[in-house]
Amino acid sequence: HPQNACLVTGCAGFVGSHLTDALLSLGFPVVGVDIIPRAQAANLSDAFGNPAFRYVEHDITRHGVLKRCHEEYPRIGHVFHLAAVVMVAFSMEHPELTMATNYTATQALHAESREAGAQAFVFAGSAAEYGDDPRLPLREEYADPQTVHNSPYGRSKYLSSRLMQESGYGCSLRFFNIFGPRQDPSSPYSGVVSKFITQATAGDELAIFGDGGQTRDFIYVSDVVRSYLIAGGVIPNPATGLTAPLSGIYNVGTGSSITIRSLAEKAIATTGTGSSIRHAAPRAGDIYHSQADISLFTQTTAFAPQITFEEGLRRTIAWA
Ligand code: UD2
C-alpha cells in the first residue's frame, strides 16, 4: 500500500492537519491541498519535515484538483475531502461562495476521483445537515429533502452527503462537535472548547451564550482521525478485520452530550485559574440540544471513542 498515495483537501486546517500527520506516520505518501499559502500553514510544520508530503496551494473551486495532485503522485488511492467554508455565520452572508466551495467543488472532486479510480472517497459531513431536528439522538435518516437547514453551510453539507449516498461511491462522515489541539480560538465563531480554554488559561471571564443548559456531543480530534482512517480503508475495520473503504453516510460523535455550563466549569477547574462565568445573550440561530446516534458507525466499524471528554480537555489545555 505505501505506493498508494492519499489526498487531503483542507490539509492546513484543524482536522486536516491531524489527518495528514496520521497518514504520513502510517507510511503513506500524502498530497495536501489548501487555499492558504505554504508560509501560513503553521499546522503543517511536522508534515513539511516529511519528504513524503507534497503541498499544493489550490482553491478547490478551480477545476481539476485531482489532475493537479496527480502531478505530485500519479496513483492516488484515498481521497479525504475536508476543504470547505467552515464558518456557519460566514455562510449566511456568502451563500453563493458557500455553495460553490462546499457543494459544487465536492461534486467535481467526487466525479473526478471516481473516474480516476480512487478506491476511497471520504467527505467531511456535519451535524448541521440535521437543521433543528428535535428528535434526539440524531439518526442518519432524519436528514432528508424536507429538512430545513439553518444555514447555507448546513444545506451545502447535506447536498454533498447525498452525492455519496446516491452514487454508492464514497462516504460522508457527519461529525458532531470536534475539539482538540490546533483548533483556532481567535475568530468570533471559533469552537466553544478552544474559546473557553483560551479564556480560562488567561484568567479571563468565560461568556456563556444563554443559560448554558444547551448540550453538545464533543468528540476529540484523534478519534475523528481514526474514523477517517477506517472509513477511507487505510487501517483495518475492527468489525471485519478488512481494510476496505466505506460507502454511505455515518454519524461520528461520542453518542453522549454535555451542557455548555458544565464545559465552562470543567475548563475552569482543569486550568485552575479561577476564571468566572458570565452569561451573555443567546446566540442567534443556535440549536439547543445536539447528540449523535452513532449506532450505524459502531455496528459497521466497532468504533468507540477512546479519549474521554476530560482527557481531551487536559490534552487541549496542555497544547494551548
Ligand atoms: C458546530 C460547528 C459548526 C456546525 C454546527 C452544526 C464547531 C466550531 N462548529 O457549531 O460548524 O457544524 O455545529 O450544528 O464545531 N458558546 C458559548 N460561548 C462561546 C462560544 C459558544 O456559550 O464563547 C455556545 C454556543 O452558543 C453553542 C455552543 O457553545 O450553544 C457550541 O458552540 P460552537 O460554536 O462551538 O459550536 P456549534 O455547535 O454552534
Coordinates of all heavy atoms in Angstrom, one line a residue, residues 50-143:
N50 N 8.5 16.0 6.4 CA 8.5 14.7 5.9 C 8.5 14.7 4.3 O 7.7 15.3 3.7 CB 7.1 14.0 6.3 CG 7.1 12.6 6.0 OD1 7.5 12.1 5.0 ND2 6.5 11.8 7.0
P51 N 9.5 14.0 3.8 CA 9.7 14.1 2.3 C 8.6 13.4 1.5 O 8.4 13.7 0.3 CB 11.0 13.3 2.1 CG 11.3 12.6 3.3 CD 10.6 13.2 4.4
A52 N 7.7 12.6 2.2 CA 6.6 12.0 1.5 C 5.4 13.0 1.4 O 4.3 12.6 0.9 CB 6.2 10.7 2.2
F53 N 5.5 14.2 1.9 CA 4.4 15.1 1.9 C 4.6 16.2 0.8 O 5.7 16.8 0.7 CB 4.3 15.9 3.3 CG 3.2 16.9 3.3 CD1 1.8 16.4 3.1 CD2 3.4 18.2 3.5 CE1 0.8 17.4 3.1 CE2 2.4 19.2 3.5 CZ 1.1 18.7 3.3
R54 N 3.6 16.4 0.0 CA 3.6 17.4 -1.1 C 2.5 18.4 -0.8 O 1.3 17.9 -0.6 CB 3.4 16.8 -2.5 CG 4.3 15.7 -2.8 CD 5.7 16.2 -3.1 NE 6.7 15.1 -3.0 CZ 6.9 14.3 -4.0 NH1 6.2 14.3 -5.1 NH2 7.8 13.3 -3.9
Y55 N 2.8 19.6 -0.8 CA 1.8 20.7 -0.6 C 1.4 21.3 -1.9 O 2.2 21.8 -2.6 CB 2.3 21.7 0.4 CG 1.3 22.7 0.9 CD1 0.3 22.3 1.7 CD2 1.3 24.0 0.4 CE1 -0.7 23.2 2.2 CE2 0.3 24.9 0.8 CZ -0.6 24.5 1.7 OH -1.6 25.4 2.2
V56 N 0.1 21.4 -2.1 CA -0.4 22.1 -3.3 C -1.3 23.2 -2.9 O -2.4 23.0 -2.3 CB -1.2 21.0 -4.2 CG1 -1.9 21.8 -5.4 CG2 -0.3 20.0 -4.8
E57 N -0.9 24.4 -3.2 CA -1.8 25.6 -2.8 C -2.8 25.7 -4.0 O -2.4 26.0 -5.1 CB -0.9 26.8 -2.7 CG -1.7 28.0 -2.2 CD -0.9 29.3 -2.3 OE1 0.4 29.3 -2.0 OE2 -1.5 30.4 -2.6
H58 N -4.1 25.4 -3.7 CA -5.1 25.4 -4.7 C -6.4 25.7 -4.1 O -6.8 25.2 -3.1 CB -5.1 24.0 -5.3 CG -5.9 23.8 -6.6 ND1 -5.3 23.8 -7.8 CD2 -7.2 23.6 -6.8 CE1 -6.3 23.6 -8.7 NE2 -7.4 23.5 -8.1
D59 N -7.2 26.5 -4.9 CA -8.6 26.8 -4.5 C -9.5 25.7 -5.0 O -9.5 25.5 -6.2 CB -8.9 28.2 -5.1 CG -10.4 28.6 -4.8 OD1 -11.2 27.7 -4.5 OD2 -10.7 29.8 -5.0
I60 N -10.2 25.0 -4.2 CA -10.9 23.8 -4.7 C -12.1 24.2 -5.6 O -12.6 23.3 -6.3 CB -11.4 22.9 -3.5 CG1 -12.2 23.7 -2.5 CG2 -10.3 22.1 -2.9 CD1 -13.2 22.8 -1.7
T61 N -12.4 25.4 -5.7 CA -13.5 25.8 -6.6 C -12.9 25.9 -8.1 O -13.6 26.0 -9.0 CB -14.2 27.2 -6.3 OG1 -13.2 28.2 -6.3 CG2 -14.8 27.1 -4.9
R62 N -11.6 25.9 -8.2 CA -10.9 25.8 -9.5 C -10.9 24.4 -10.0 O -10.7 23.5 -9.2 CB -9.5 26.4 -9.5 CG -9.4 27.9 -9.6 CD -8.1 28.4 -9.2 NE -7.0 27.7 -9.8 CZ -5.8 27.5 -9.2 NH1 -5.6 28.0 -8.0 NH2 -4.8 26.9 -9.8
H63 N -11.2 24.2 -11.3 CA -11.3 22.8 -11.8 C -10.0 22.0 -11.7 O -8.9 22.6 -11.6 CB -11.7 22.9 -13.3 CG -13.2 23.2 -13.4 ND1 -14.2 22.4 -12.9 CD2 -13.8 24.3 -13.9 CE1 -15.3 23.0 -13.1 NE2 -15.1 24.1 -13.8
G64 N -10.1 20.7 -11.7 CA -9.0 19.8 -11.9 C -8.1 19.7 -10.7 O -6.9 19.6 -10.9
V65 N -8.7 19.6 -9.5 CA -7.9 19.5 -8.3 C -7.1 18.2 -8.4 O -5.8 18.1 -8.1 CB -8.8 19.4 -7.0 CG1 -7.9 19.3 -5.8 CG2 -9.6 20.7 -7.0
L66 N -7.8 17.1 -8.7 CA -7.1 15.8 -8.7 C -6.0 15.7 -9.8 O -4.9 15.1 -9.5 CB -8.1 14.7 -8.9 CG -7.6 13.2 -8.6 CD1 -7.2 13.1 -7.2 CD2 -8.7 12.2 -8.9
K67 N -6.3 16.3 -10.9 CA -5.3 16.3 -12.0 C -4.0 17.0 -11.6 O -2.9 16.5 -11.8 CB -6.0 17.0 -13.2 CG -5.2 17.0 -14.5 CD -6.1 17.3 -15.7 CE -5.3 17.4 -17.0 NZ -5.0 18.8 -17.2
R68 N -4.2 18.1 -10.9 CA -3.0 18.8 -10.4 C -2.3 18.0 -9.3 O -1.0 17.9 -9.4 CB -3.5 20.1 -9.7 CG -2.5 20.9 -8.9 CD -1.4 21.4 -9.8 NE -0.3 22.0 -9.0 CZ 0.7 21.2 -8.5 NH1 0.8 19.9 -8.7 NH2 1.7 21.8 -7.8
C69 N -3.0 17.2 -8.5 CA -2.4 16.4 -7.5 C -1.7 15.2 -8.1 O -0.7 14.7 -7.6 CB -3.4 15.9 -6.5 SG -4.0 17.3 -5.5
H70 N -2.2 14.7 -9.2 CA -1.5 13.6 -9.9 C -0.2 14.0 -10.5 O 0.7 13.1 -10.7 CB -2.4 13.1 -11.1 CG -3.5 12.1 -10.6 ND1 -4.7 12.0 -11.2 CD2 -3.5 11.3 -9.6 CE1 -5.5 11.1 -10.5 NE2 -4.8 10.7 -9.5
E71 N 0.1 15.3 -10.6 CA 1.5 15.7 -11.0 C 2.5 15.4 -9.8 O 3.6 15.2 -10.0 CB 1.5 17.2 -11.3 CG 0.7 17.6 -12.5 CD 0.6 19.1 -12.7 OE1 1.3 19.8 -12.0 OE2 -0.3 19.5 -13.4
E72 N 1.9 15.3 -8.6 CA 2.8 15.0 -7.4 C 2.9 13.5 -7.2 O 4.0 13.0 -7.0 CB 2.2 15.7 -6.2 CG 2.0 17.2 -6.3 CD 3.3 18.0 -6.5 OE1 4.3 17.5 -6.0 OE2 3.2 19.0 -7.2
Y73 N 1.8 12.8 -7.2 CA 1.7 11.4 -7.1 C 0.7 10.8 -8.1 O -0.5 11.1 -8.0 CB 1.3 11.0 -5.7 CG 2.4 11.2 -4.6 CD1 2.2 12.1 -3.6 CD2 3.6 10.4 -4.7 CE1 3.1 12.3 -2.6 CE2 4.5 10.6 -3.7 CZ 4.3 11.5 -2.7 OH 5.3 11.7 -1.7
P74 N 1.2 10.0 -9.1 CA 0.3 9.6 -10.1 C -0.8 8.6 -9.6 O -1.8 8.4 -10.3 CB 1.2 8.9 -11.2 CG 2.5 8.7 -10.5 CD 2.6 9.6 -9.3
R75 N -0.5 7.9 -8.5 CA -1.6 7.0 -8.0 C -2.1 7.4 -6.7 O -1.5 7.2 -5.6 CB -0.9 5.6 -7.9 CG -0.9 4.8 -9.2 CD -0.3 3.4 -9.0 NE -0.8 2.7 -7.9 CZ -0.2 1.7 -7.2 NH1 1.0 1.4 -7.6 NH2 -0.7 1.1 -6.2
I76 N -3.3 8.0 -6.7 CA -3.9 8.5 -5.5 C -5.1 7.5 -5.2 O -6.1 7.5 -6.0 CB -4.4 9.9 -5.6 CG1 -3.1 10.8 -5.7 CG2 -5.3 10.3 -4.4 CD1 -3.4 12.3 -5.9
G77 N -5.0 6.8 -4.2 CA -6.0 5.7 -3.9 C -7.1 6.2 -2.9 O -8.2 5.6 -2.8
H78 N -6.7 7.2 -2.1 CA -7.6 7.6 -1.0 C -7.8 9.1 -1.0 O -6.8 9.8 -0.8 CB -7.1 7.2 0.4 CG -6.6 5.7 0.4 ND1 -7.4 4.7 0.8 CD2 -5.4 5.2 0.1 CE1 -6.8 3.5 0.7 NE2 -5.6 3.8 0.3
V79 N -9.0 9.5 -1.2 CA -9.3 11.0 -1.2 C -10.1 11.3 0.1 O -11.1 10.8 0.3 CB -10.1 11.4 -2.5 CG1 -10.4 12.9 -2.4 CG2 -9.3 11.0 -3.7
F80 N -9.5 12.3 0.8 CA -10.2 12.8 2.0 C -10.5 14.3 1.8 O -9.6 15.1 1.6 CB -9.3 12.7 3.2 CG -9.0 11.2 3.6 CD1 -7.8 10.7 3.1 CD2 -9.8 10.5 4.4 CE1 -7.5 9.3 3.4 CE2 -9.5 9.2 4.7 CZ -8.3 8.6 4.2
H81 N -11.8 14.5 1.6 CA -12.2 15.9 1.2 C -12.8 16.7 2.4 O -13.9 16.6 2.8 CB -13.2 15.8 0.1 CG -13.7 17.1 -0.4 ND1 -12.9 18.2 -0.6 CD2 -14.9 17.5 -0.8 CE1 -13.6 19.2 -1.1 NE2 -14.8 18.8 -1.2
L82 N -11.9 17.6 2.9 CA -12.2 18.4 4.1 C -12.3 19.9 3.8 O -12.8 20.6 4.6 CB -11.2 18.2 5.3 CG -11.2 16.9 6.1 CD1 -10.8 15.6 5.2 CD2 -10.3 17.0 7.3
A83 N -11.8 20.3 2.7 CA -11.7 21.7 2.4 C -13.1 22.3 2.3 O -14.0 21.7 1.6 CB -11.0 22.0 1.1
A84 N -13.4 23.4 2.9 CA -14.8 23.9 2.9 C -14.8 25.3 3.6 O -13.9 25.7 4.3 CB -15.7 23.0 3.7
V85 N -15.9 26.0 3.3 CA -16.2 27.2 4.1 C -16.8 26.6 5.4 O -17.7 25.8 5.4 CB -17.3 28.0 3.4 CG1 -18.0 29.0 4.4 CG2 -16.8 28.7 2.2
V86 N -16.1 26.8 6.5 CA -16.4 26.1 7.8 C -17.2 27.0 8.7 O -17.8 26.5 9.7 CB -15.2 25.6 8.5 CG1 -14.6 24.5 7.6 CG2 -14.2 26.6 8.9
M87 N -17.3 28.3 8.5 CA -18.0 29.1 9.5 C -19.4 29.3 9.1 O -19.7 29.9 8.0 CB -17.3 30.5 9.7 CG -16.0 30.3 10.5 SD -15.1 31.8 10.8 CE -14.3 32.1 9.3
V88 N -20.3 28.9 10.0 CA -21.7 28.9 9.7 C -22.2 30.4 9.5 O -22.9 30.7 8.6 CB -22.5 28.3 10.9 CG1 -24.0 28.4 10.6 CG2 -22.1 26.8 11.0
A89 N -21.8 31.3 10.4 CA -22.2 32.7 10.3 C -21.7 33.3 8.9 O -22.4 34.0 8.3 CB -21.7 33.5 11.5
F90 N -20.5 33.0 8.5 CA -19.9 33.5 7.3 C -20.8 33.0 6.1 O -21.1 33.7 5.2 CB -18.5 33.0 7.1 CG -17.8 33.4 5.8 CD1 -17.1 34.6 5.7 CD2 -17.9 32.6 4.7 CE1 -16.5 35.0 4.5 CE2 -17.3 32.9 3.5 CZ -16.6 34.2 3.4
S91 N -21.2 31.7 6.2 CA -22.0 31.1 5.1 C -23.3 31.9 4.9 O -23.9 31.9 3.8 CB -22.3 29.6 5.4 OG -23.3 29.4 6.3
M92 N -23.9 32.4 6.0 CA -25.1 33.2 5.9 C -25.0 34.4 5.0 O -25.8 34.8 4.3 CB -25.6 33.7 7.3 CG -25.7 32.6 8.3 SD -26.9 31.4 8.1 CE -28.2 32.1 9.1
E93 N -23.8 35.1 5.2 CA -23.5 36.3 4.4 C -23.0 36.0 3.0 O -23.0 36.8 2.1 CB -22.5 37.1 5.1 CG -23.1 37.8 6.3 CD -22.0 38.0 7.5 OE1 -20.9 38.3 7.2 OE2 -22.4 37.8 8.6
H94 N -22.5 34.7 2.8 CA -21.9 34.4 1.5 C -22.5 33.0 1.0 O -21.8 32.1 0.8 CB -20.4 34.3 1.6 CG -19.8 35.5 2.1 ND1 -19.5 36.6 1.3 CD2 -19.5 35.9 3.4 CE1 -18.9 37.6 2.0 NE2 -18.9 37.2 3.3
P95 N -23.8 33.0 0.7 CA -24.4 31.7 0.3 C -23.9 31.2 -1.0 O -23.7 30.0 -1.1 CB -25.9 32.1 0.2 CG -26.0 33.5 0.1 CD -24.8 34.1 0.8
E96 N -23.6 32.0 -1.9 CA -23.1 31.5 -3.2 C -21.7 31.0 -3.1 O -21.4 29.9 -3.7 CB -23.2 32.6 -4.3 CG -24.6 32.7 -4.8 CD -25.0 34.1 -5.4 OE1 -24.0 34.8 -5.9 OE2 -26.1 34.4 -5.3
L97 N -20.8 31.7 -2.4 CA -19.5 31.2 -2.2 C -19.5 29.9 -1.5 O -18.7 28.9 -1.8 CB -18.6 32.2 -1.5 CG -17.2 31.8 -1.1 CD1 -16.4 31.5 -2.4 CD2 -16.5 32.8 -0.2
T98 N -20.4 29.8 -0.5 CA -20.5 28.5 0.3 C -21.0 27.4 -0.6 O -20.4 26.3 -0.5 CB -21.5 28.8 1.5 OG1 -21.0 29.8 2.3 CG2 -21.6 27.5 2.3
M99 N -21.9 27.6 -1.4 CA -22.4 26.5 -2.3 C -21.3 26.1 -3.3 O -21.1 24.9 -3.5 CB -23.7 27.0 -3.1 CG -24.9 26.8 -2.3 SD -25.1 25.0 -1.9 CE -26.5 25.0 -0.9
A100 N -20.6 27.1 -3.8 CA -19.6 26.8 -4.8 C -18.5 26.0 -4.2 O -18.0 25.0 -4.7 CB -19.0 28.1 -5.4
T101 N -18.1 26.4 -3.0 CA -17.0 25.7 -2.3 C -17.4 24.4 -1.7 O -16.7 23.4 -1.8 CB -16.5 26.6 -1.1 OG1 -16.2 27.9 -1.7 CG2 -15.2 26.1 -0.6
N102 N -18.5 24.4 -1.0 CA -18.9 23.2 -0.2 C -19.6 22.1 -1.0 O -19.6 21.0 -0.7 CB -19.7 23.6 1.0 CG -18.9 24.4 2.0 OD1 -17.8 24.8 1.8 ND2 -19.5 24.6 3.2
Y103 N -20.4 22.6 -2.1 CA -21.1 21.6 -2.8 C -20.6 21.4 -4.2 O -20.2 20.3 -4.6 CB -22.6 22.0 -2.9 CG -23.4 21.1 -3.7 CD1 -23.6 19.7 -3.4 CD2 -24.0 21.5 -4.9 CE1 -24.3 18.9 -4.2 CE2 -24.7 20.7 -5.7 CZ -24.8 19.3 -5.4 OH -25.5 18.5 -6.2
T104 N -20.5 22.5 -5.0 CA -20.1 22.3 -6.4 C -18.7 21.7 -6.5 O -18.5 20.8 -7.3 CB -20.2 23.7 -7.2 OG1 -21.5 24.3 -6.8 CG2 -20.2 23.4 -8.7
A105 N -17.8 22.2 -5.7 CA -16.4 21.7 -5.8 C -16.4 20.2 -5.3 O -15.6 19.4 -5.8 CB -15.5 22.6 -4.9
T106 N -17.3 19.9 -4.3 CA -17.3 18.5 -3.9 C -17.8 17.6 -5.0 O -17.3 16.5 -5.2 CB -18.2 18.4 -2.6 OG1 -17.7 19.2 -1.6 CG2 -18.4 17.0 -2.1
Q107 N -18.8 18.0 -5.7 CA -19.4 17.3 -6.8 C -18.3 17.0 -7.8 O -18.1 15.9 -8.3 CB -20.5 18.1 -7.4 CG -21.4 17.4 -8.3 CD -22.6 18.4 -8.8 OE1 -22.3 19.6 -8.9 NE2 -23.7 17.9 -9.0
A108 N -17.5 18.0 -8.1 CA -16.5 17.9 -9.1 C -15.4 17.0 -8.7 O -14.9 16.1 -9.4 CB -15.9 19.3 -9.4
L109 N -14.9 17.1 -7.4 CA -13.8 16.2 -6.9 C -14.3 14.8 -6.8 O -13.6 13.8 -7.1 CB -13.3 16.8 -5.6 CG -12.1 16.0 -5.0 CD1 -10.9 15.9 -6.0 CD2 -11.7 16.6 -3.7
H110 N -15.6 14.6 -6.4 CA -16.2 13.3 -6.3 C -16.2 12.6 -7.6 O -15.7 11.5 -7.8 CB -17.6 13.5 -5.7 CG -18.3 12.2 -5.5 ND1 -19.3 11.7 -6.3 CD2 -18.2 11.2 -4.5 CE1 -19.8 10.6 -5.8 NE2 -19.2 10.3 -4.7
A111 N -16.6 13.3 -8.6 CA -16.7 12.8 -10.0 C -15.3 12.5 -10.5 O -15.0 11.4 -11.1 CB -17.4 13.7 -10.9
E112 N -14.4 13.4 -10.3 CA -13.0 13.2 -10.8 C -12.3 12.0 -10.1 O -11.6 11.3 -10.8 CB -12.2 14.5 -10.4 CG -11.2 15.0 -11.4 CD -10.3 16.1 -10.9 OE1 -10.7 16.8 -9.9 OE2 -9.3 16.3 -11.6
S113 N -12.6 11.8 -8.8 CA -12.0 10.7 -8.1 C -12.5 9.4 -8.5 O -11.8 8.4 -8.7 CB -12.2 10.9 -6.6 OG -11.7 12.1 -6.1
R114 N -13.8 9.4 -8.8 CA -14.5 8.2 -9.3 C -13.9 7.8 -10.7 O -13.6 6.6 -10.9 CB -16.0 8.4 -9.3 CG -16.8 7.2 -9.5 CD -18.2 7.6 -9.6 NE -19.1 6.4 -9.4 CZ -20.4 6.4 -9.6 NH1 -21.0 7.6 -9.8 NH2 -21.1 5.3 -9.5
E115 N -13.9 8.8 -11.5 CA -13.4 8.5 -12.9 C -11.9 8.0 -12.9 O -11.5 7.2 -13.7 CB -13.5 9.7 -13.8 CG -14.9 9.9 -14.3 CD -15.2 11.4 -14.7 OE1 -14.3 12.1 -15.0 OE2 -16.4 11.8 -14.5
A116 N -11.1 8.6 -12.0 CA -9.7 8.2 -11.9 C -9.5 6.9 -11.2 O -8.4 6.4 -11.1 CB -8.9 9.3 -11.2
G117 N -10.6 6.3 -10.6 CA -10.5 5.0 -10.0 C -9.9 5.0 -8.5 O -9.4 4.0 -8.1
A118 N -10.0 6.2 -7.9 CA -9.6 6.2 -6.4 C -10.5 5.3 -5.7 O -11.7 5.4 -5.8 CB -9.7 7.6 -5.9
Q119 N -9.9 4.4 -4.9 CA -10.7 3.4 -4.2 C -11.6 4.0 -3.1 O -12.7 3.4 -2.8 CB -9.9 2.2 -3.7 CG -8.9 2.6 -2.6 CD -8.0 1.5 -2.3 OE1 -6.9 1.3 -2.9 NE2 -8.3 0.7 -1.3
A120 N -11.1 5.0 -2.5 CA -11.8 5.6 -1.3 C -12.0 7.1 -1.5 O -11.1 7.8 -2.0 CB -11.1 5.3 -0.1
F121 N -13.2 7.5 -1.1 CA -13.5 9.0 -1.1 C -14.3 9.2 0.2 O -15.3 8.6 0.4 CB -14.4 9.3 -2.3 CG -14.7 10.8 -2.4 CD1 -13.8 11.6 -3.2 CD2 -15.7 11.4 -1.8 CE1 -14.1 13.0 -3.3 CE2 -16.0 12.8 -1.8 CZ -15.1 13.6 -2.6
V122 N -13.7 10.0 1.0 CA -14.4 10.3 2.3 C -14.6 11.8 2.4 O -13.7 12.6 2.3 CB -13.5 9.8 3.5 CG1 -14.3 10.0 4.8 CG2 -13.1 8.4 3.4
F123 N -15.8 12.2 2.7 CA -16.3 13.6 2.8 C -16.5 14.0 4.2 O -17.1 13.2 5.0 CB -17.5 13.7 1.9 CG -18.2 15.1 2.1 CD1 -17.6 16.2 1.5 CD2 -19.4 15.2 2.7 CE1 -18.1 17.5 1.7 CE2 -20.0 16.5 2.9 CZ -19.3 17.6 2.3
A124 N -16.2 15.2 4.6 CA -16.4 15.7 5.9 C -17.8 16.3 6.0 O -18.1 17.5 5.6 CB -15.4 16.8 6.2
G125 N -18.8 15.5 6.4 CA -20.2 16.0 6.6 C -20.3 16.6 8.0 O -19.3 16.8 8.7
S126 N -21.5 17.0 8.3 CA -21.7 17.8 9.5 C -23.0 17.5 10.2 O -24.0 17.3 9.5 CB -21.6 19.3 9.2 OG -22.0 20.1 10.3
A127 N -23.1 17.7 11.5 CA -24.3 17.6 12.3 C -25.3 18.7 11.8 O -26.5 18.6 12.0 CB -24.0 17.8 13.7
A128 N -24.7 19.8 11.1 CA -25.6 20.9 10.6 C -26.5 20.3 9.5 O -27.5 21.0 9.2 CB -24.7 22.0 10.1
E129 N -26.3 19.2 9.0 CA -27.2 18.6 8.0 C -28.6 18.3 8.6 O -29.5 18.0 7.8 CB -26.5 17.3 7.4 CG -25.3 17.6 6.6 CD -24.6 16.4 6.1 OE1 -25.3 15.5 5.5 OE2 -23.4 16.3 6.2
Y130 N -28.7 18.2 9.9 CA -29.9 17.9 10.5 C -30.8 19.1 10.8 O -31.9 19.0 11.3 CB -29.7 17.1 11.8 CG -29.1 15.7 11.6 CD1 -27.7 15.5 11.9 CD2 -29.8 14.7 11.0 CE1 -27.2 14.3 11.6 CE2 -29.2 13.5 10.7 CZ -27.9 13.3 11.0 OH -27.3 12.1 10.7
G131 N -30.3 20.3 10.6 CA -31.0 21.5 10.9 C -31.3 21.5 12.4 O -30.5 21.2 13.2
D132 N -32.6 21.8 12.7 CA -33.0 21.9 14.1 C -33.8 20.7 14.5 O -34.7 20.8 15.4 CB -33.9 23.2 14.2 CG -33.2 24.3 15.0 OD1 -32.3 23.9 15.7 OD2 -33.5 25.4 14.8
D133 N -33.6 19.6 13.9 CA -34.4 18.4 14.2 C -34.4 18.1 15.7 O -33.4 17.9 16.3 CB -33.9 17.2 13.5 CG -34.9 16.1 13.3 OD1 -35.6 15.8 14.3 OD2 -35.0 15.5 12.2
P134 N -35.6 18.1 16.4 CA -35.7 17.8 17.8 C -35.6 16.4 18.2 O -35.5 16.1 19.4 CB -37.0 18.4 18.2 CG -37.9 18.2 17.0 CD -36.9 18.3 15.8
R135 N -35.6 15.5 17.3 CA -35.6 14.0 17.6 C -34.1 13.6 18.0 O -33.3 13.5 17.1 CB -36.0 13.2 16.4 CG -37.5 13.4 16.1 CD -37.8 12.7 14.8 NE -37.3 13.4 13.6 CZ -37.4 12.9 12.4 NH1 -38.0 11.8 12.1 NH2 -36.9 13.6 11.3
L136 N -33.9 13.4 19.3 CA -32.6 13.1 19.7 C -32.5 11.7 20.3 O -33.5 11.2 20.9 CB -32.1 14.1 20.8 CG -31.9 15.5 20.3 CD1 -31.6 16.4 21.5 CD2 -30.9 15.6 19.2
P137 N -31.4 10.9 20.2 CA -30.3 11.3 19.4 C -30.5 11.2 17.9 O -31.4 10.5 17.4 CB -29.2 10.2 19.8 CG -30.1 9.0 20.2 CD -31.3 9.6 20.8
L138 N -29.7 12.0 17.1 CA -30.0 12.2 15.7 C -29.5 10.9 14.9 O -28.4 10.5 15.1 CB -29.2 13.4 15.2 CG -29.8 14.7 15.8 CD1 -28.8 15.8 15.7 CD2 -31.1 15.1 15.0
R139 N -30.4 10.4 14.1 CA -30.1 9.3 13.3 C -29.9 9.7 11.8 O -30.6 10.7 11.4 CB -31.2 8.2 13.3 CG -31.4 7.6 14.7 CD -32.6 6.7 14.8 NE -32.6 5.7 13.7 CZ -32.0 4.5 13.9 NH1 -31.4 4.2 15.0 NH2 -32.0 3.6 12.9
E140 N -29.1 9.0 11.1 CA -28.7 9.4 9.7 C -29.9 9.7 8.8 O -29.9 10.7 8.1 CB -27.9 8.3 9.1 CG -26.4 8.2 9.6 CD -26.3 7.5 10.9 OE1 -27.3 7.0 11.4 OE2 -25.2 7.3 11.3
E141 N -31.0 8.9 9.0 CA -32.1 9.1 8.0 C -33.0 10.3 8.3 O -33.8 10.7 7.6 CB -33.0 7.8 8.0 CG -33.7 7.5 9.3 CD -32.9 6.6 10.2 OE1 -31.7 6.5 10.1 OE2 -33.5 5.9 11.0
Y142 N -32.7 11.0 9.5 CA -33.5 12.2 9.8 C -33.2 13.3 8.9 O -34.1 14.2 8.7 CB -33.3 12.6 11.3 CG -33.7 11.7 12.3 CD1 -33.4 11.9 13.7 CD2 -34.5 10.6 12.0 CE1 -33.9 11.1 14.7 CE2 -35.0 9.7 13.0 CZ -34.6 10.0 14.4 OH -35.1 9.1 15.4
A143 N -32.0 13.4 8.3 CA -31.8 14.4 7.3 C -32.3 14.0 6.0 O -32.0 12.9 5.5 CB -30.3 14.7 7.2

